[in-house]
Each structure stands twice: as structure tokens, then as C-alpha cells.
Amino acid sequence: MASWFMLCLVLPMLVTQTESVKNYASALGKSILFYAAQRSGKLPANNPIPWRGDSALNDCVVGGWYDAGDHLKFGSTMEYTTTILLWSMYKWKDSYVKAGQLTQAYDMVKWPLDYFLKAWNSTAHEFVFQVGGDADHHYWGRPEDMTMARPCKKADIAHPRSDIEGGTAAALAVGSLVFKDKGDTAYSTQLLTAAESLYKFANDHKSTDSYKDEICEAGVWLYRATGRAQYLNEAKANAESGYIWAYQTADKRLACHQLLYEETHDTVQRNGVIDYFNAWFPGGSIHYTPCGLAWAMKWGSLRLAANSAFVALLAAEAGIQTDRYRTWAVEQINYILGDNPHDGGCYSYQIGYGSKYPLRPHHRAASCPNKPAPCGSAEATSPAPNPHVLTGALVGGPAEHDDYVDVRTDYVLNEVAIDYNSGFTGALAGIVHLQNTNHMPTTHNKCPCNN
């Protein structure tokens, strides 16, 4: 009798929340695993990707992450990605604990942080911001088999790159906070020392590119790490107003607004966040697919939606239109994880999540069979599924009417990249936090997965 009574209490809850029942913790763990597949350099003994091995050991700076489905290492996307991942750990450590992924998360972010420490030579004032070149795009094969030249691009006093330097300083600064909290004070100090010197270099030798958003972002994180008002004042001085189309590698102004609002509760910064999401919410300037994805462009549409979802959850935590922002953010992630119409519905755009997901992402290493089988143009154009499942990767996503084709040669809809997974990972952590604190919103996705 008691069991029947409990069933009667549970069933209505299951019925009303069916569309939002997703295993966000599982998706978070898979997203972390994707970054292990992107590792360059000498792999550790606990490498969880059996089809990946040591690669690019002769690079001018060894290590770091390959950018996407290719083998370039871009400082711009790596610093952006690392900052977001660390930001989510700084804000929602409880989510990684709950998901059983905290150790894996520390391993994930330490890989690029170690790379940044090697890329910045504070004595010579040289900073490596790219490894690899055009030859990479003409090579389809395993990173372990690369023999082409791997050019090294450096910034120095005569040729500064304040944008990437500032962004990397931000990653190092938030990294120092995360590892200080972990109890690794020696590594935290090393990261902070590098962050401060690289930040100073970026400020002292300004480049002609757009860098104020990165300097702002770095300033706030350095203020949090040191308590020095100078850094916060410089962040404020570099905050820029104006229309923001999307939160992405090339434009971090939304992050600047959010970080400054968290520190100052300034109305101008709050309005900067609100203006952004007014444009992104239904009725604004961003297009919506029939099933409710906020679709800003065909190239990496899911990336931009997930990045915005991440900041929406941060803004909600800071008290900005909390219920509205949380609901919208969770609905965007729900779309990605199956609340969409592709292949009859319940299709996950995160590889390895659920029972239906992309099998042919545009990714060289995953498309190559095990050695000694060759890998080249035939594998690039083959219609067969990839021999290796690129678990956790988020593909670019559907076109503007929810239409999507799983074809390896379509790198617009099917490429994966480290920055594609960054906001997605952060948003997943934010949602697990909502579950932990019993603040999950009621969602109403237009094409719910009912299987």
C-alpha cells in the first residue's frame, strides 16, 4: 500500500518533467573526455583514448590541444576555451564533484595551462600563439603520423598580440584560483606569476587588433586572484559598450560585462548583459529554428547557443532575471541533447550521448582506422561511420530549419572544435548545479524527446 502511495506521488512528477529529463552529469563527463582526444604531445599513462598516442613531439612548444578536426594549435581558441572551462570549475565545483568528474576536470584544464607556461618566455618577452600552418589542411591522417613542417608563430615586443596575450593571462589567472582551491599552492603561484607578467606585457606593448575585452577579462580574474584594485580599475577602463552579436573567441565583451557586474553590481554592466540576451531571446534579432534553437549562423550554431546558455546561467546566479535566464539556458542544452526533430527526434548532437548521435564528424584522427591500416583521402570522403567514436564532442549543428546531415565532408555542420565544447561544458556544469540546489526550472521545449 505504501509503495503504491509513493508511486502515485512520483508519476505526476515524471509526466510533467519528461521533456527535461536529461543526464546532464553524464554529458558533462563525456564532454571532458573529448578534450583528452584533442591532446597533442607526450600523452600520460592514464590516457583514456586508446586510439590516440604521442604526437607533434618536435613542436616549438610541445603539448596543448589540437584546435578542431585538424592539427593546428591556436592560442586564441585555446585560451578562450580554457578560461571558460576554468570559470565553470571556479563557479560550480560542486557539479564536477556530483558528476564524479572533478579529478578528470583538473587533468583536463592542466593540459593547456602547462602549455601556456611553456609558450610564454617572460625573460625574452616572447609568446608562442600558434603552432602549425596551411600544410595541415592538406593532410588527412593521424596526428601521430605527421611529418610536415610545423611553423611557430611568436609575439614579441616588435610584433605584439595583446588579444591572445590578454586572453591567456585570464586563463592563467583563473587557473591559479582553481588550483589554489584544490590545494596545489605551488602550481597556483606559478600560474599567477605567469599571468601577471603576461598581462603586463600585453598592456605595455599594445597591438593594433581588438584586445580590450581580453584585457578586461584578465583584469577581473587577476583582481580576484590578488585583491589589487589596480586590476579591477583597468578592467573597468577597458570595458566596451555596444551591440554584441555573439559570445565567441573573437568577442569576449559579454564575459567582461558579466564579470564586472559580479564584482561591482554596476548598472551599466548589468544592462550590457540584459541587452545581449534581449537580442538572443525570442523576439530579438537572433533567428530561431522551428524546434527552438537560437540559431545565429550556420557555422557552429550549437557552439554559439551553448556559449550564451553558459553566460545566461552565470547571469541568473548573479540575480539577473533568474527564472527566465535559467529556463532559456536549459532549453537550449535540452535541444542539443535530444529535444530536436532530427532522425525522428531524441537525437543528440553530442557524440556518444544517448542512442542516436553523429557518426561521421569531420575529425581526422577519429576517421582513421587502427594502424597499420593507411589513412588519407579515401577515409576523408568515405560515407562509412568513423572507426572511432569521438565521445563527448559537440558537432557544429543543424542549419536554420533544424535540418542536418551527418556527412564527414560537410565541415560546416560536422566539424568539432575545442571552443565548440567550452560553453557547452560550462552550461552542463551550471545545470548540474541547479539540480544539486533544487533550482531546476520547468522547461517547455518545442520538440521534446519522449523516448
Side-chain angles (χ1 to χ4, degrees), residues 329-341:
V330 176
E331 287 175 348
Q332 293 302 302
I333 300 304
N334 283 349
Y335 179 100
I336 292 172
L337 292 179
D339 288 355
N340 61 70

Side-chain angles (χ1 to χ4, degrees), residues 372-438:
C375 186
S377 58
E379 284 66 37
T381 58
S382 170
N386 287 0
H388 305 296
V389 177
L390 190 61
T391 301
L394 180 68
V395 297
E400 61 183 317
H401 300 294
D402 296 309
D403 44 316
Y404 170 79
V405 180
D406 179 15
V407 178
R408 188 179 303 108
T409 53
D410 184 352
Y411 48 82
V412 176
L413 302 186
N414 288 290
E415 184 144 35
V416 300
I418 56 174
D419 63 310
Y420 282 24
N421 268 67
S422 58
F424 176 62
T425 307
L428 289 168
I431 295 172
V432 174
H433 174 74
L434 294 181
Q435 292 179 316
N436 289 347
T437 56
N438 296 315

Side-chain angles (χ1 to χ4, degrees), residues 281-295:
F281 287 168
S285 58
I286 297 298
H287 170 77
Y288 274 71
T289 68
C291 281
L293 173 68
W295 192 92

Side-chain angles (χ1 to χ4, degrees), residues 51 140-141 361-369 375-376 379-380 385-388 408:
W51 44 272
W140 192 278
H362 185 87
H363 189 271
R364 287 158 174 76
S367 77
C368 293
C375 186
E379 284 66 37
N386 287 0
H388 305 296
R408 188 179 303 108

